[in-house]
Amino acid sequence: MKNIKDYNLEELKQELVDLGEKPFRAEQIFKWLYQEKVKTFDEMTNISLELREKLKQNYTMCNFNILKKQVSKDGTIKYLFDVLDGNAIETVLMSYHHGYSICVSSQIGCKMGCKFCASTGINFIRNLTSGEIVEQILAVEQDENLRISNVVFMGIGEPLDNYDNVINTIHILNNQKGLSIGARHISISTSGLVPKIYKLAEENIPCTLSISLHATTNEKRSKMMPVNDAYPIEELIQSCKDYIAKTNRRISFEYALAKDNNDNLEDAKGLVKLLKGMLCHVNLIPINKIENGAYTKSSNEHIMKFRDYLNDNGIVATIRRELGSDIDAACGQLRRKNLKQ
Ligand code: SAH
């Protein structure tokens, strides 16, 4: 059966027309789903019983079950959701002074194989649908009774490898008759799928693009991120320059610092050289060691020195606050969990 949350408003109007209904019904349904956040068609009380029956026969609501919920001492919450097909994914809720942010997964598993990431080494299963990405937000909002203001595509998966569903998710989230989360409050993080970066630049969606850079030479980056063999640094940076020129939007470069690997002065110099003059910001992440991982966290002193060098040399850099590390919810710690395991 089709998932009613997979459709943006225009598509849902067409679905309703195909069912022999008036398109405005789609707006009513959208309101029920995303403003009232109901979990059943029966709660949609301004819709006739007959149409409710039709909807039940044609669509599911895709309400995720919470398999596990872990609360960190800093307030971060990690959810393990049953995505209703025998698989499970993780989603993280973070609280900031400006509101609540959610880190959503975009795929069940990941194909990218980054050596430092916990989502690696587990088989890729499938893309999540738009409705399954949207449902992560709804399920958390329902569970905690709050409103999420920021969405980051930094959970399990490579969002640009699930391009169409991620773009459609953004259209669903943006809609003012629904969740009304503006594109400016949405970040897409990519390991660097260059052709998709060019494509995203054409979308006219003012979301934030984050690039997981992590190294400044191809030799080093390829060791950490096999995707670099397909799209080396020069091509990646060129696509970023094109993105900035087309959108006039600042790019955020993610740089996870690993001890004795990419955290010394030479690396900082390389980063300055690479990014000089670009409309960008560098987000330094203390790397989180994963089980059997080769990379360990740099010392705080190294991280601060690295940041200061960048800032002193014209590159705006900040250190990302680590949230949820005690519940394995910090950057790169999310993994696909199979219910059958
Ligand atoms: N596939 C996307 C989004 C998921 S990862 C991407 O690669 O960008 C979200 C961010 O966490 C990325 O910047 C990623 O490189 C980083 N990350 C992954 N594992 C990490 C780890 N162990 N420690 C710190 N950051 C990590």
Side-chain angles (χ1 to χ4, degrees):
M1 228 181 336
K2 299 183 277 190
N3 173 2
I4 193 136
K5 292 169 189 165
D6 277 339
Y7 302 99
N8 64 43
L9 185 56
E10 289 314 306
E11 292 168 340
L12 194 59
K13 281 181 184 170
Q14 189 54 49
E15 287 288 306
L16 269 291
V17 170
D18 293 346
L19 287 175
E21 298 288 334
K22 293 264 180 341
F24 81 92
R25 293 285 175 208
E27 294 189 4
Q28 292 179 319
I29 294 170
F30 231 64
K31 259 187 151 165
W32 284 114
L33 291 174
Y34 303 120
Q35 293 188 356
E36 302 301 325
K37 307 188 207 298
V38 300
K39 288 191 174 186
T40 61
F41 289 112
D42 287 327
E43 289 162 88
M44 300 183 178
T45 47
N46 59 355
I47 288 173
S48 71
L49 277 174
E50 193 196 338
L51 177 52
R52 279 186 243 162
E53 278 312 310
K54 241 196 241 180
L55 293 173
K56 277 190 233 172
Q57 279 160 20
N58 287 281
Y59 305 96
T60 65
M61 296 273 280
C62 175
N63 299 313
F64 286 169
N65 303 315
I66 299 172
L67 293 169
K68 201 166 167 191
K69 178 178 172 182
Q70 286 172 277
V71 183
S72 157
K73 50 184 185 308
D74 64 31
T76 301
I77 303 179
K78 182 170 78 173
Y79 289 88
L80 179 68
F81 287 120
D82 166 12
V83 297
L84 313 173
D85 69 347
N87 285 295
I89 49 153
E90 293 184 328
T91 304
V92 178
L93 175 71
M94 294 158 292
S95 163
Y96 292 100
H97 60 273
H98 56 264
Y100 290 100
S101 280
I102 190 169
C103 178
V104 293
S105 293
S106 55
Q107 298 179 315
I108 304 178
C110 186
K111 298 180 208 158
M112 297 300 119
C114 300
K115 297 287 188 290
F116 45 85
C117 178
S119 304
T120 288
I122 316 162
N123 288 343
F124 172 79
I125 305 269
R126 66 173 174 86
N127 284 330
L128 290 174
T129 69
S130 304
E132 288 170 327
I133 302 172
V134 171
E135 175 59 16
Q136 294 171 57
I137 298 163
L138 284 176
V140 170
E141 286 193 337
Q142 284 158 343
D143 181 59
E144 281 289 306
N145 195 22
L146 48 79
R147 189 180 178 278
I148 285 163
S149 51
N150 290 277
V151 178
V152 299
F153 283 87
M154 293 192 184
I156 303 161
E158 167 50 54
L160 295 189
D161 187 39
N162 183 13
Y163 189 88
D164 292 343
N165 290 347
V166 165
I167 297 297
N168 196 41
T169 302
I170 295 175
H171 290 312
I172 297 171
L173 300 182
N174 283 170
N175 200 297
Q176 295 193 342
K177 297 198 167 84
L179 285 162
S180 196
I181 301 175
R184 287 187 167 74
H185 297 270
I186 299 173
S187 294
I188 297 181
S189 181
T190 180
S191 56
L193 300 188
V194 166
K196 298 293 167 54
I197 295 170
Y198 282 110
K199 203 168 169 195
L200 187 64
E202 305 288 344
E203 295 284 350
N204 201 17
I205 297 176
C207 59
T208 298
L209 177 62
S210 293
I211 305 285
S212 299
L213 187 60
H214 305 322
T216 57
T217 65
N218 283 320
E219 197 193 343
K220 214 174 260 189
R221 192 166 188 267
S222 286
K223 272 193 192 143
M224 299 174 80
M225 307 174 71
V227 64
N228 193 67
D229 292 335
Y231 305 113
I233 292 177
E234 307 74 52
E235 290 178 26
L236 176 59
I237 295 296
Q238 193 49 50
S239 70
C240 291
K241 287 183 174 161
D242 174 89
Y243 182 90
I244 295 167
K246 289 224 169 83
T247 63
N248 203 25
R249 295 199 59 76
R250 181 184 305 270
I251 286 184
S252 173
F253 286 96
E254 312 289 307
Y255 194 98
L257 289 150
K259 192 174 167 201
D260 299 332
N261 172 52
N262 61 351
D263 66 344
N264 39 46
L265 186 61
E266 279 311 301
D267 297 292
K269 281 184 181 163
L271 204 50
V272 169
K273 212 169 145 201
L274 203 59
L275 304 182
K276 195 100 201 177
M278 279 173 85
L279 182 62
C280 70
H281 168 265
V282 172
N283 221 329
L284 298 171
I285 317 172
I287 211 161
N288 285 296
K289 188 171 174 13
I290 56 162
E291 228 178 281
N292 305 320
Y295 301 105
T296 53
K297 198 172 285 191
S298 304
S299 68
N300 284 344
E301 197 195 329
H302 257 84
I303 297 173
M304 285 192 290
K305 263 196 192 155
F306 201 97
R307 176 199 58 194
D308 293 344
Y309 183 85
L310 295 181
N311 283 331
D312 290 345
N313 287 278
I315 306 285
V316 182
T318 48
I319 300 169
R320 179 177 295 168
R321 204 153 60 98
E322 284 178 279
L323 291 173
S325 49
D326 55 331
I327 53 167
D328 281 350
C331 295
Q333 292 186 305
L334 302 191
R335 44 196 312 132
R336 175 182 71 80
K337 296 202 174 160
N338 198 303
L339 297 186
K340 293 165 201 142
Q341 278 173 355

